[in-house]
Amino acid sequence: MLLIFLLPAVANAWWDNGHLLVAEVARQQLTPQQVAHINDILKDFADDYPGTSDLVTAAVWPDMLKCSSQSTICPREVLDNIHIFDSWHYNEKPYNPDGVKLPICSDKWQNNPSALYTMTSAMLSLGSNSRFTHNFFLRWMLHVVGDIHQPLHTVSGFFDNPQLGKLTYGDLGGNRIPVQSPCGTSNLHAYWDSAACTYLINWSPDLDRRELSANATALTSKYPKTSSVFAGRYIEDDLQDCWTAVLAGRAAKPFDVCQEVFLSWTDDTYDSGVAKAYTGITSNSSVPADYAAWAKEFSEQQIVLGGYRLGGLLRLVASRVVLPSPGEKNKKPPPEWTLTAKLFAALSLILVILLACLLNSTLKLRRKLVNLAMTEGLSPRAIDPQA
Ligand SMILES: *[C@@H]1O[C@H](CO)[C@@H](O)[C@H](O)[C@H]1NC(C)=O
């Protein structure tokens, strides 16, 4: 119970920069048509959220919802101040190396909603035909897939030791471990949000997309899909069964099938990063140099891996038909012909035909009279002055 009261204090995951990079890596995996399809879904919120309504920038939108006052990380005039979604950003799998007596049953750690629940629900909802749902949950996907690649977003650490102190009710993913770093982050979680002081730029309406793009390209060249650091971790089409189940509907148990895949992602981050992320750290001290070097390298790998997985996911989303946008959907079809209009049209048509017949026979009669006059040796003018 106590854990639940402590949760709202948890900070953002990757700073905007990390999220934007994950999404940019994903974007670079797609064809222009696939990107256009995703952007078309996201555009519906563009009036309310200018500058965060395309495949890359929408990745920061879920953090924007938390904004309660204007600052460098919340440079918007409108502040949503919504905190009901806060727990959608992380998972709290216990890490308990000191054998602390946990305030929760260790096998019942999974709170709902959690990041795992968010991703699974989002995937299921993408089977619907609502543009709002696609847009809303796509934004969450773009964000949370990034989040769960930040190791301290997949864990709740429990400690009772001289280095980290007494954190027997959980460390809120490192938020309660104060550490000093060269970029001024105040706790271990924030340090990881900055990708070990590597990616510090916040979203702004005039974000330099070329620099972002170049950074993403440099990262993917350094860590291609076939890189040994991803061996046994990155599985190109691991979402295929989930997607098939989503499209097939309830009977195919899409929730179970999809949750298994997303759990494999969160577990992968936890297994590869969590133990190391707490090793060598001492509360209220500086981050050691060798730790910093590893944290930067691991953060970069995780951003790329998150981007690859997100790219695969977006490809599936883009394989669905484009839903018409609200403007197009609300366009009135041409009005039905009323019975009166049909009768009026039919009568008009009959009238036109009758008039044509009348005109025709008048002309015929005139021609006959002219011919008759000529055979009788009269001038046609006697019959028709114009002839
Ligand atoms: C690009 O990467 C460099 C570090 O390599 C960083 O200093 C810079 O802020 C990054 N810019 C963006 C937009 O990602």
Side-chain angles (χ1 to χ4, degrees), residues 1-2 18 39-40 68 94 118 138-139 153 156 194 205 223 235 252 269 278 285 302 317 322 337 346:
M1 257 343 249
L2 191 54
N39 286 346
D40 179 74
S68 54
T118 308
L138 251 178
R139 287 162 182 268
H153 257 251
S156 182
S194 75
Y223 300 110
I235 301 162
T269 304
Y278 286 112
S285 304
Q302 289 297 100
V317 174
V322 187
W337 281 66

Side-chain angles (χ1 to χ4, degrees), residues 80-257:
D80 292 289
N81 201 5
I82 299 173
H83 290 280
I84 200 167
F85 302 126
D86 286 3
S87 71
W88 291 29
H89 297 250
Y90 52 83
N91 261 22
E92 299 187 292
K93 188 168 178 169
Y95 176 64
N96 185 16
D98 301 329
V100 169
K101 186 178 176 326
L102 296 183
I104 44 165
C105 303
S106 57
D107 60 337
K108 292 263 173 6
W109 60 272
Q110 190 63 60
N111 69 322
N112 286 330
S114 64
L116 176 60
Y117 192 75
T118 308
M119 289 186 293
T120 308
S121 307
M123 200 64 173
L124 254 62
S125 301
L126 294 174
S128 89
N129 277 324
S130 150
R131 264 188 82 94
F132 167 81
T133 305
H134 280 208
N135 186 355
F136 179 79
F137 272 125
L138 251 178
R139 287 162 182 268
W140 278 100
M141 282 293 199
L142 291 167
H143 184 83
V144 177
V145 172
D147 275 349
I148 58 121
H149 286 80
Q150 202 273 51
L152 293 185
H153 257 251
T154 64
V155 66
S156 182
F158 296 86
F159 305 100
D160 190 358
N161 65 48
Q163 288 76 39
L164 298 174
K166 208 172 164 70
L167 289 167
T168 52
Y169 289 104
D171 73 336
L172 305 178
N175 271 291
R176 298 176 73 205
I177 301 178
V179 291
Q180 281 109 47
S181 78
C183 59
T185 54
S186 60
N187 64 63
L188 193 60
H189 186 98
Y191 177 70
W192 277 90
D193 279 351
S194 75
C197 294
T198 313
Y199 296 118
L200 305 170
I201 290 176
N202 286 308
W203 172 88
S204 77
D206 38 48
L207 174 83
D208 185 348
R209 298 284 285 267
R210 280 160 310 174
E211 187 181 309
L212 186 78
S213 233
N215 277 359
T217 310
L219 286 174
T220 52
S221 317
K222 192 167 169 189
Y223 300 110
K225 286 180 177 172
T226 51
S227 165
S228 61
V229 298
F230 302 141
R233 300 179 59 200
Y234 175 63
I235 301 162
E236 178 111 40
D237 56 357
D238 57 357
L239 273 168
Q240 193 54 58
D241 288 350
C242 152
W243 188 247
T244 306
V246 164
L247 298 182
R250 254 167 195 248
K253 294 201 186 308
F255 195 93
D256 298 348
V257 182

